Coordinates of all heavy atoms in Angstrom, one line a residue:
M802 N 0.8 -1.2 0.0 CA 0.0 0.0 0.0 C 0.9 1.3 0.0 O 1.8 1.4 0.8 CB -0.9 0.0 1.2 CG -1.7 1.2 1.3 SD -2.5 1.6 2.9 CE -3.6 0.3 3.2
M803 N 0.6 2.2 -0.9 CA 1.3 3.4 -1.0 C 0.6 4.6 -0.2 O -0.6 4.7 -0.3 CB 1.5 3.8 -2.4 CG 2.3 5.0 -2.6 SD 2.5 5.3 -4.4 CE 2.8 7.0 -4.4
H804 N 1.4 5.3 0.6 CA 0.8 6.4 1.3 C 1.2 7.7 0.7 O 2.4 7.8 0.3 CB 1.3 6.4 2.8 CG 0.8 5.2 3.6 ND1 -0.4 5.1 4.1 CD2 1.4 4.0 3.8 CE1 -0.6 4.0 4.7 NE2 0.5 3.3 4.6
T805 N 0.3 8.7 0.6 CA 0.6 10.0 0.1 C 0.4 11.0 1.1 O -0.6 11.0 1.8 CB -0.3 10.3 -1.1 OG1 -0.2 9.2 -2.1 CG2 0.0 11.6 -1.7
A806 N 1.4 11.9 1.3 CA 1.3 13.0 2.3 C 0.6 14.1 1.6 O 1.0 14.5 0.5 CB 2.7 13.4 2.8
V807 N -0.5 14.6 2.2 CA -1.2 15.7 1.7 C -1.3 16.7 2.8 O -1.5 16.4 4.0 CB -2.6 15.3 1.3 CG1 -3.5 16.5 0.8 CG2 -2.5 14.2 0.2
G808 N -1.3 18.0 2.5 CA -1.4 19.0 3.5 C -2.3 20.2 3.0 O -2.3 20.5 1.8
W809 N -3.0 20.8 3.9 CA -3.8 21.9 3.6 C -3.4 23.0 4.5 O -3.0 22.8 5.7 CB -5.3 21.7 3.9 CG -6.0 20.7 3.1 CD1 -5.5 20.0 2.1 CD2 -7.3 20.2 3.3 NE1 -6.5 19.1 1.6 CE2 -7.6 19.3 2.4 CE3 -8.3 20.6 4.3 CZ2 -8.9 18.6 2.3 CZ3 -9.5 19.9 4.2 CH2 -9.8 19.0 3.2
H810 N -3.4 24.3 4.0 CA -3.0 25.4 4.8 C -4.3 26.2 5.0 O -4.9 26.6 4.0 CB -1.9 26.3 4.2 CG -0.6 25.6 4.2 ND1 0.2 25.6 5.3 CD2 0.0 24.8 3.2 CE1 1.3 24.9 5.0 NE2 1.2 24.4 3.8
V811 N -4.7 26.5 6.2 CA -5.9 27.3 6.5 C -5.4 28.7 6.9 O -4.5 28.8 7.7 CB -6.7 26.7 7.6 CG1 -7.9 27.5 8.0 CG2 -7.2 25.3 7.3
E812 N -6.0 29.7 6.3 CA -5.7 31.1 6.6 C -6.8 31.6 7.5 O -8.0 31.4 7.2 CB -5.5 31.9 5.3 CG -4.4 31.5 4.5 CD -4.3 32.3 3.2 OE1 -4.8 33.4 3.2 OE2 -3.8 31.7 2.2
L813 N -6.4 32.3 8.5 CA -7.4 33.1 9.4 C -7.0 34.5 9.4 O -5.8 34.8 9.7 CB -7.4 32.5 10.8 CG -8.3 31.3 11.1 CD1 -8.0 30.8 12.5 CD2 -9.7 31.6 10.9
E814 N -7.9 35.4 9.2 CA -7.7 36.8 9.3 C -8.7 37.4 10.2 O -9.8 37.0 10.2 CB -7.7 37.5 7.9 CG -6.6 37.1 7.0 CD -6.6 37.9 5.7 OE1 -7.6 38.7 5.5 OE2 -5.7 37.7 4.9
F815 N -8.3 38.4 11.0 CA -9.2 39.1 12.0 C -9.3 40.5 11.7 O -8.4 41.2 11.3 CB -8.6 38.8 13.4 CG -8.5 37.4 13.7 CD1 -7.3 36.7 13.6 CD2 -9.6 36.7 14.2 CE1 -7.2 35.4 13.9 CE2 -9.5 35.3 14.5 CZ -8.3 34.7 14.4
L816 N -10.5 41.1 12.0 CA -10.8 42.5 12.0 C -11.5 42.8 13.3 O -12.5 42.1 13.6 CB -11.7 42.8 10.8 CG -12.1 44.3 10.6 CD1 -10.8 45.1 10.3 CD2 -13.1 44.4 9.5
E817 N -10.9 43.7 14.1 CA -11.4 43.9 15.4 C -11.4 45.3 15.8 O -10.6 46.1 15.3 CB -10.7 43.0 16.4 CG -9.2 43.1 16.4 CD -8.5 41.9 17.1 OE1 -9.2 41.2 17.9 OE2 -7.4 41.6 16.7
D818 N -12.4 45.7 16.7 CA -12.4 46.9 17.4 C -12.5 46.6 18.9 O -12.3 45.5 19.3 CB -13.5 47.9 16.9 CG -14.9 47.3 17.0 OD1 -15.1 46.5 18.0 OD2 -15.7 47.6 16.2
D819 N -12.9 47.6 19.7 CA -13.0 47.4 21.2 C -14.1 46.4 21.6 O -14.0 45.8 22.6 CB -13.2 48.7 21.9 CG -11.9 49.6 21.9 OD1 -10.9 49.0 21.6 OD2 -12.1 50.8 22.2
Q820 N -15.1 46.2 20.7 CA -16.3 45.4 21.1 C -16.4 44.1 20.3 O -16.9 43.2 20.8 CB -17.6 46.2 20.9 CG -17.8 47.3 21.8 CD -18.3 46.8 23.2 OE1 -17.9 47.3 24.2 NE2 -19.2 45.9 23.2
H821 N -15.9 44.2 19.0 CA -16.2 43.1 18.1 C -15.0 42.5 17.5 O -14.0 43.2 17.2 CB -17.1 43.6 17.0 CG -18.4 44.2 17.4 ND1 -19.5 43.5 17.8 CD2 -18.7 45.5 17.6 CE1 -20.4 44.4 18.2 NE2 -19.9 45.6 18.1
T822 N -15.0 41.2 17.2 CA -13.9 40.6 16.4 C -14.6 39.7 15.3 O -15.5 39.0 15.6 CB -13.1 39.6 17.3 OG1 -12.5 40.4 18.4 CG2 -11.9 39.0 16.5
R823 N -14.1 40.0 14.1 CA -14.6 39.2 13.0 C -13.5 38.3 12.5 O -12.3 38.9 12.4 CB -15.1 40.1 11.9 CG -16.4 40.9 12.3 CD -16.9 41.7 11.2 NE -18.0 42.6 11.4 CZ -18.9 42.7 12.3 NH1 -19.0 41.8 13.2 NH2 -19.8 43.7 12.3
A824 N -13.7 37.1 12.1 CA -12.7 36.2 11.6 C -13.2 35.7 10.2 O -14.3 35.4 10.0 CB -12.5 35.0 12.5
A825 N -12.2 35.6 9.3 CA -12.4 35.1 8.0 C -11.5 33.9 7.8 O -10.3 34.1 8.1 CB -12.2 36.1 6.9
A826 N -12.0 32.7 7.5 CA -11.2 31.5 7.3 C -11.2 31.2 5.8 O -12.2 31.3 5.1 CB -11.7 30.4 8.1
L827 N -10.1 30.7 5.3 CA -10.0 30.2 3.9 C -9.1 29.0 3.8 O -8.0 29.0 4.5 CB -9.4 31.4 3.1 CG -8.8 31.0 1.7 CD1 -10.0 30.7 0.8 CD2 -8.0 32.2 1.1
V828 N -9.5 28.0 3.1 CA -8.7 26.9 2.8 C -8.7 26.7 1.2 O -9.8 26.7 0.7 CB -9.0 25.6 3.5 CG1 -10.4 25.1 3.2 CG2 -8.0 24.5 3.3
R829 N -7.6 26.5 0.6 CA -7.5 26.2 -0.8 C -7.2 24.7 -0.9 O -6.3 24.1 -0.4 CB -6.3 26.9 -1.4 CG -6.6 28.4 -1.6 CD -5.5 29.1 -2.3 NE -5.7 30.6 -2.3 CZ -5.3 31.4 -1.3 NH1 -4.7 30.9 -0.2 NH2 -5.6 32.7 -1.3
L830 N -8.1 24.0 -1.6 CA -8.1 22.5 -1.7 C -7.3 22.1 -2.9 O -7.2 22.9 -3.9 CB -9.5 22.0 -1.7 CG -10.4 22.3 -0.5 CD1 -11.8 21.8 -0.7 CD2 -9.7 21.7 0.8
P831 N -6.8 20.9 -2.9 CA -6.0 20.4 -4.1 C -6.8 20.4 -5.4 O -6.2 20.4 -6.4 CB -5.6 19.0 -3.7 CG -5.6 19.0 -2.2 CD -6.7 19.9 -1.8
D832 N -8.1 20.3 -5.3 CA -8.9 20.3 -6.5 C -9.1 21.7 -7.1 O -9.8 22.0 -8.1 CB -10.3 19.6 -6.3 CG -11.2 20.4 -5.4 OD1 -10.9 21.5 -5.0 OD2 -12.3 19.9 -5.2
G833 N -8.5 22.7 -6.4 CA -8.5 24.1 -6.9 C -9.6 25.0 -6.3 O -9.7 26.2 -6.6
T834 N -10.5 24.4 -5.6 CA -11.6 25.2 -5.0 C -11.1 25.9 -3.7 O -10.1 25.4 -3.0 CB -12.8 24.3 -4.6 OG1 -12.4 23.3 -3.7 CG2 -13.4 23.7 -5.8
E835 N -11.7 27.0 -3.4 CA -11.5 27.7 -2.2 C -12.7 27.6 -1.3 O -13.8 27.9 -1.8 CB -11.1 29.2 -2.4 CG -9.8 29.3 -3.1 CD -9.4 30.8 -3.3 OE1 -10.3 31.7 -3.1 OE2 -8.2 31.1 -3.6
V836 N -12.6 27.3 -0.1 CA -13.7 27.2 0.9 C -13.5 28.3 1.9 O -12.4 28.4 2.5 CB -13.8 25.8 1.5 CG1 -15.0 25.8 2.5 CG2 -13.9 24.7 0.5
R837 N -14.5 29.2 2.1 CA -14.4 30.3 3.0 C -15.5 30.3 4.0 O -16.6 29.7 3.8 CB -14.6 31.6 2.2 CG -13.5 31.8 1.1 CD -13.8 33.1 0.3 NE -12.9 33.2 -0.8 CZ -11.8 33.9 -0.8 NH1 -11.5 34.5 0.3 NH2 -11.0 33.9 -1.8
A838 N -15.2 30.8 5.2 CA -16.2 30.9 6.3 C -15.9 32.1 7.1 O -14.8 32.6 7.1 CB -16.2 29.6 7.1
H839 N -16.8 32.4 8.0 CA -16.7 33.6 8.9 C -17.1 33.3 10.3 O -18.0 32.4 10.5 CB -17.5 34.8 8.3 CG -17.0 35.2 7.0 ND1 -17.5 34.7 5.8 CD2 -16.1 36.1 6.6 CE1 -16.9 35.2 4.8 NE2 -16.0 36.1 5.2
G840 N -16.6 34.0 11.2 CA -17.0 33.9 12.6 C -17.0 35.3 13.2 O -16.4 36.2 12.7
H841 N -17.7 35.4 14.4 CA -17.8 36.7 15.0 C -17.9 36.5 16.5 O -18.4 35.5 17.0 CB -19.2 37.3 14.5 CG -19.4 38.7 15.1 ND1 -20.3 38.9 16.2 CD2 -18.9 39.9 14.8 CE1 -20.3 40.2 16.5 NE2 -19.5 40.8 15.7
A842 N -17.3 37.5 17.2 CA -17.4 37.5 18.7 C -17.6 38.9 19.1 O -17.2 39.9 18.5 CB -16.1 37.0 19.3
T843 N -18.4 39.0 20.2 CA -18.7 40.4 20.8 C -18.4 40.3 22.2 O -18.8 39.4 23.0 CB -20.2 40.7 20.6 OG1 -20.6 40.6 19.2 CG2 -20.5 42.0 21.2
R844 N -17.6 41.4 22.6 CA -17.2 41.5 24.1 C -18.4 42.1 24.8 O -19.0 43.1 24.4 CB -16.0 42.4 24.2 CG -15.5 42.5 25.6 CD -14.2 43.4 25.7 NE -14.4 44.7 25.3 CZ -14.8 45.7 26.1 NH1 -15.0 45.5 27.3 NH2 -14.9 46.9 25.6
H845 N -18.7 41.5 26.0 CA -19.7 42.0 26.9 C -19.1 43.3 27.5 O -17.9 43.3 27.8 CB -20.1 41.0 27.9 CG -21.3 41.4 28.7 ND1 -21.3 42.3 29.7 CD2 -22.6 41.0 28.5 CE1 -22.5 42.5 30.2 NE2 -23.3 41.7 29.5
L846 N -19.9 44.3 27.7 CA -19.4 45.6 28.3 C -18.7 45.4 29.6 O -17.8 46.2 29.9 CB -20.6 46.5 28.4 CG -21.2 47.0 27.1 CD1 -22.4 47.9 27.4 CD2 -20.2 47.8 26.3
I847 N -19.1 44.5 30.4 CA -18.4 44.4 31.7 C -17.1 43.5 31.7 O -16.4 43.5 32.7 CB -19.3 43.8 32.8 CG1 -19.8 42.4 32.5 CG2 -20.5 44.7 33.0 CD1 -20.5 41.6 33.6
D848 N -16.9 42.9 30.5 CA -15.6 42.1 30.4 C -14.4 42.9 30.1 O -14.6 44.0 29.4 CB -15.8 41.0 29.3 CG -16.8 39.9 29.7 OD1 -17.0 39.7 31.0 OD2 -17.3 39.2 28.8
A849 N -13.3 42.5 30.5 CA -12.0 43.2 30.2 C -11.8 43.1 28.6 O -12.2 42.1 28.0 CB -10.9 42.6 30.9
N850 N -11.1 44.1 28.1 CA -10.8 44.0 26.7 C -9.6 43.1 26.5 O -8.5 43.4 26.8 CB -10.4 45.5 26.2 CG -10.3 45.5 24.7 OD1 -10.5 44.5 24.0 ND2 -9.9 46.7 24.2
Q851 N -9.9 41.9 26.0 CA -8.9 40.9 25.7 C -9.0 40.4 24.3 O -9.7 39.5 23.9 CB -9.1 39.6 26.6 CG -9.0 39.9 28.1 CD -9.3 38.7 28.9 OE1 -10.5 38.4 29.1 NE2 -8.3 38.0 29.4
P852 N -8.3 41.1 23.4 CA -8.4 40.8 21.9 C -8.1 39.4 21.6 O -8.7 38.8 20.7 CB -7.4 41.8 21.3 CG -7.2 42.9 22.3 CD -7.4 42.3 23.6
R853 N -7.1 38.8 22.3 CA -6.8 37.4 22.0 C -8.0 36.5 22.2 O -8.2 35.5 21.4 CB -5.6 36.9 22.8 CG -5.1 35.5 22.4 CD -4.1 35.0 23.4 NE -4.8 34.5 24.6 CZ -4.5 34.8 25.8 NH1 -3.5 35.5 26.1 NH2 -5.2 34.4 26.8
V854 N -8.8 36.7 23.2 CA -10.0 35.9 23.5 C -11.0 36.0 22.4 O -11.6 35.1 21.9 CB -10.6 36.2 24.9 CG1 -11.9 35.5 25.1 CG2 -9.6 35.9 26.0
G855 N -11.2 37.3 22.0 CA -12.1 37.5 20.8 C -11.7 36.8 19.6 O -12.5 36.2 18.9
E856 N -10.4 36.8 19.3 CA -9.8 36.1 18.2 C -10.0 34.6 18.3 O -10.4 33.9 17.3 CB -8.3 36.4 18.0 CG -8.0 37.8 17.6 CD -6.6 38.2 17.7 OE1 -5.8 37.3 18.1 OE2 -6.3 39.4 17.4
E857 N -9.8 34.1 19.5 CA -10.0 32.6 19.7 C -11.5 32.2 19.5 O -11.8 31.2 18.8 CB -9.6 32.2 21.1 CG -8.1 32.3 21.3 CD -7.6 32.2 22.7 OE1 -8.5 32.2 23.6 OE2 -6.4 32.1 22.9
I858 N -12.4 33.0 20.0 CA -13.8 32.7 19.8 C -14.3 32.9 18.4 O -14.9 32.0 17.8 CB -14.7 33.6 20.7 CG1 -14.4 33.2 22.2 CG2 -16.2 33.4 20.4 CD1 -15.0 34.1 23.2
A859 N -13.9 34.0 17.8 CA -14.3 34.3 16.4 C -13.6 33.3 15.4 O -14.2 32.8 14.5 CB -14.0 35.7 16.0
G860 N -12.4 33.0 15.7 CA -11.6 32.0 14.9 C -12.2 30.6 15.0 O -12.4 29.9 14.0
A861 N -12.6 30.2 16.2 CA -13.2 28.9 16.4 C -14.5 28.8 15.6 O -14.8 27.8 15.0 CB -13.4 28.6 17.9
R862 N -15.3 29.9 15.7 CA -16.6 29.9 15.0 C -16.4 29.8 13.5 O -17.1 29.1 12.8 CB -17.4 31.1 15.4 CG -17.9 30.9 16.8 CD -18.6 32.2 17.3 NE -19.2 31.9 18.6 CZ -19.6 32.9 19.5 NH1 -19.5 34.1 19.1 NH2 -20.1 32.6 20.6
A863 N -15.4 30.5 13.0 CA -15.1 30.5 11.5 C -14.6 29.1 11.1 O -15.0 28.6 10.1 CB -14.0 31.5 11.2
L864 N -13.8 28.5 11.9 CA -13.3 27.1 11.6 C -14.4 26.1 11.7 O -14.5 25.1 10.9 CB -12.1 26.7 12.6 CG -10.8 27.5 12.4 CD1 -9.9 27.2 13.5 CD2 -10.2 27.2 11.0
N865 N -15.3 26.3 12.6 CA -16.5 25.4 12.7 C -17.3 25.5 11.5 O -17.8 24.5 10.9 CB -17.3 25.7 14.0 CG -18.4 24.7 14.2 OD1 -18.2 23.5 14.3 ND2 -19.6 25.2 14.3
E866 N -17.6 26.7 11.0 CA -18.3 26.9 9.8 C -17.6 26.3 8.6 O -18.2 25.7 7.7 CB -18.6 28.4 9.6 CG -19.5 28.6 8.3 CD -19.8 30.1 8.1 OE1 -20.4 30.7 9.0 OE2 -19.3 30.6 7.1
L867 N -16.3 26.5 8.6 CA -15.5 25.9 7.5 C -15.6 24.4 7.5 O -15.7 23.8 6.4 CB -14.0 26.4 7.7 CG -13.0 26.0 6.6 CD1 -13.3 26.8 5.3 CD2 -11.6 26.2 7.0
A868 N -15.6 23.8 8.6 CA -15.7 22.3 8.7 C -17.1 21.9 8.1 O -17.2 20.9 7.4 CB -15.6 21.9 10.2
M869 N -18.1 22.7 8.4 CA -19.4 22.3 7.9 C -19.5 22.4 6.4 O -20.1 21.6 5.7 CB -20.5 23.2 8.6 CG -20.6 22.9 10.1 SD -20.7 21.2 10.7 CE -22.2 20.7 10.0
H870 N -18.9 23.5 5.9 CA -18.8 23.6 4.4 C -18.1 22.5 3.8 O -18.5 22.0 2.7 CB -18.1 25.0 4.0 CG -18.9 26.2 4.3 ND1 -20.3 26.3 4.2 CD2 -18.5 27.4 4.7 CE1 -20.7 27.5 4.5 NE2 -19.6 28.2 4.8
L871 N -17.0 22.0 4.4 CA -16.2 20.9 3.8 C -17.0 19.6 3.9 O -16.9 18.8 3.0 CB -14.9 20.8 4.6 CG -13.8 21.8 4.3 CD1 -12.7 21.8 5.4 CD2 -13.3 21.7 2.9
L872 N -17.7 19.4 5.0 CA -18.6 18.2 5.1 C -19.7 18.2 4.0 O -19.9 17.2 3.4 CB -19.2 18.1 6.4 CG -18.3 17.6 7.6 CD1 -19.0 17.8 8.9 CD2 -17.9 16.2 7.4
T873 N -20.3 19.4 3.8 CA -21.3 19.5 2.7 C -20.7 19.2 1.3 O -21.3 18.5 0.5 CB -21.9 20.9 2.8 OG1 -22.6 21.1 4.0 CG2 -23.0 21.1 1.6
K874 N -19.5 19.8 1.1 CA -18.8 19.6 -0.2 C -18.5 18.1 -0.4 O -18.8 17.5 -1.5 CB -17.5 20.4 -0.2 CG -16.7 20.3 -1.5 CD -15.5 21.1 -1.4 CE -14.7 21.2 -2.7 NZ -14.4 19.9 -3.3
A875 N -18.0 17.4 0.6 CA -17.7 16.0 0.5 C -19.0 15.2 0.3 O -19.0 14.3 -0.6 CB -17.0 15.5 1.8
H876 N -20.1 15.5 1.0 CA -21.3 14.8 0.8 C -21.8 15.0 -0.6 O -22.3 14.0 -1.3 CB -22.3 15.4 1.8 CG -23.6 14.7 1.9 ND1 -23.8 13.4 2.0 CD2 -24.9 15.2 1.9 CE1 -25.1 13.1 2.1 NE2 -25.8 14.2 2.0
D877 N -21.8 16.2 -1.2 CA -22.2 16.5 -2.5 C -21.4 15.7 -3.5 O -21.9 15.2 -4.5 CB -22.2 18.0 -2.8 CG -23.2 18.8 -2.1 OD1 -24.1 18.2 -1.5 OD2 -23.0 20.0 -2.0
E878 N -20.1 15.6 -3.3 CA -19.2 14.8 -4.2 C -19.5 13.3 -4.2 O -19.5 12.7 -5.2 CB -17.7 15.1 -3.9 CG -17.3 16.5 -4.2 CD -15.9 16.9 -3.8 OE1 -15.2 16.0 -3.2 OE2 -15.5 18.0 -4.0
I879 N -19.8 12.8 -3.0 CA -20.2 11.4 -2.9 C -21.5 11.2 -3.7 O -21.6 10.2 -4.4 CB -20.4 11.0 -1.4 CG1 -19.0 11.0 -0.7 CG2 -21.1 9.6 -1.3 CD1 -19.2 10.9 0.9
D880 N -22.5 12.0 -3.5 CA -23.7 11.9 -4.2 C -23.5 12.0 -5.7 O -24.1 11.2 -6.5 CB -24.7 12.9 -3.8 CG -25.2 12.7 -2.3 OD1 -24.9 11.7 -1.8 OD2 -26.0 13.6 -1.8
A881 N -22.7 12.9 -6.2 CA -22.5 13.1 -7.6 C -21.8 11.9 -8.2 O -22.1 11.4 -9.3 CB -21.6 14.3 -7.9
E882 N -20.9 11.3 -7.5 CA -20.1 10.1 -8.0 C -21.0 8.9 -7.9 O -21.0 8.0 -8.9 CB -18.9 9.9 -7.1 CG -18.0 8.7 -7.5 CD -17.3 8.9 -8.9 OE1 -17.1 10.0 -9.3 OE2 -17.0 7.8 -9.5
S883 N -21.8 8.7 -6.9 CA -22.6 7.5 -6.7 C -23.9 7.5 -7.5 O -24.5 6.5 -7.7 CB -22.8 7.2 -5.3 OG -23.7 8.2 -4.7
G884 N -24.4 8.8 -7.8 CA -25.7 8.9 -8.4 C -26.9 8.7 -7.5 O -28.0 8.4 -8.0
R885 N -26.6 8.7 -6.2 CA -27.7 8.5 -5.3 C -27.5 9.5 -4.1 O -26.5 10.1 -4.0 CB -27.8 7.1 -4.8 CG -26.5 6.7 -4.1 CD -26.6 5.2 -3.6 NE -25.4 4.8 -3.0 CZ -24.9 5.1 -1.8 NH1 -25.6 5.8 -1.0 NH2 -23.7 4.6 -1.4
I886 N -28.5 9.6 -3.3 CA -28.4 10.4 -2.1 C -27.8 9.5 -1.0 O -28.4 8.5 -0.6 CB -29.8 10.9 -1.7 CG1 -30.4 11.7 -2.9 CG2 -29.7 11.8 -0.4 CD1 -30.8 13.0 -2.7
S887 N -26.7 10.0 -0.4 CA -26.0 9.2 0.6 C -26.5 9.6 2.0 O -27.2 10.6 2.1 CB -24.5 9.4 0.5 OG -24.2 10.8 0.5
H888 N -26.1 8.9 3.0 CA -26.4 9.2 4.4 C -25.6 10.5 4.7 O -24.5 10.8 4.2 CB -25.9 8.1 5.3 CG -26.7 6.9 5.1 ND1 -28.0 6.7 5.6 CD2 -26.5 5.7 4.5 CE1 -28.5 5.5 5.3 NE2 -27.5 4.9 4.6
S889 N -26.2 11.3 5.6 CA -25.5 12.5 6.1 C -24.2 12.1 6.7 O -24.0 11.1 7.4 CB -26.4 13.2 7.1 OG -27.6 13.6 6.6
I890 N -23.2 13.0 6.6 CA -21.9 12.9 7.2 C -22.0 13.6 8.5 O -22.2 14.8 8.5 CB -20.8 13.4 6.3 CG1 -20.8 12.7 5.0 CG2 -19.4 13.4 7.0 CD1 -19.9 13.3 3.9
N891 N -21.7 13.0 9.6 CA -21.8 13.6 10.9 C -20.4 14.1 11.4 O -19.4 13.5 11.0 CB -22.4 12.6 11.9 CG -23.8 12.2 11.6 OD1 -24.6 13.1 11.3 ND2 -24.1 11.0 11.7
V892 N -20.5 15.1 12.2 CA -19.2 15.6 12.8 C -18.8 14.7 13.9 O -19.5 14.2 14.6 CB -19.4 17.1 13.3 CG1 -18.2 17.6 13.9 CG2 -19.9 18.0 12.2

């Protein structure tokens, strides 16, 4: 059996102010497609201003959405190849 090493690089970018953090995630797949997703975090007024925490929350939400897009893409590809509706792919 031959093993092939494959890697993906996920990019995360953040836009933030004192109250909000927005994250954008992007992965370029070997088939040439780009999958994008977004996440958001809002600081409660009584919480300390901790930009890193906002990035972690918004980033996690963007990555979670990215994962769901990838699962949907895989599911659609299985259906297209098989010509039938397959079972849902669970996380």
Side-chain angles (χ1 to χ4, degrees):
M802 177 195 299
M803 184 175 152
H804 295 279
T805 303
V807 177
W809 295 354
H810 292 277
V811 177
E812 296 177 24
L813 275 173
E814 292 184 354
F815 300 96
L816 182 62
E817 51 201 335
D818 59 31
D819 289 344
Q820 289 282 138
H821 307 278
T822 303
R823 296 185 188 333
L827 165 71
V828 64
R829 289 182 186 87
L830 301 176
D832 68 4
T834 60
E835 291 184 349
V836 181
R837 298 172 187 268
H839 297 88
H841 181 260
T843 302
R844 181 177 66 87
H845 192 280
L846 293 174
I847 63 170
D848 291 338
N850 188 5
Q851 297 176 283
R853 190 191 72 229
V854 172
E856 290 168 3
E857 291 168 352
I858 293 169
R862 289 176 174 162
L864 291 171
N865 186 55
E866 183 180 299
L867 188 68
M869 298 311 294
H870 289 323
L871 289 167
L872 284 170
T873 298
K874 182 179 183 310
H876 187 47
D877 292 345
E878 290 173 1
I879 291 168
D880 289 354
E882 181 68 24
S883 68
R885 62 181 173 77
I886 306 234
S887 57
H888 294 284
S889 296
I890 300 172
N891 296 316
V892 178

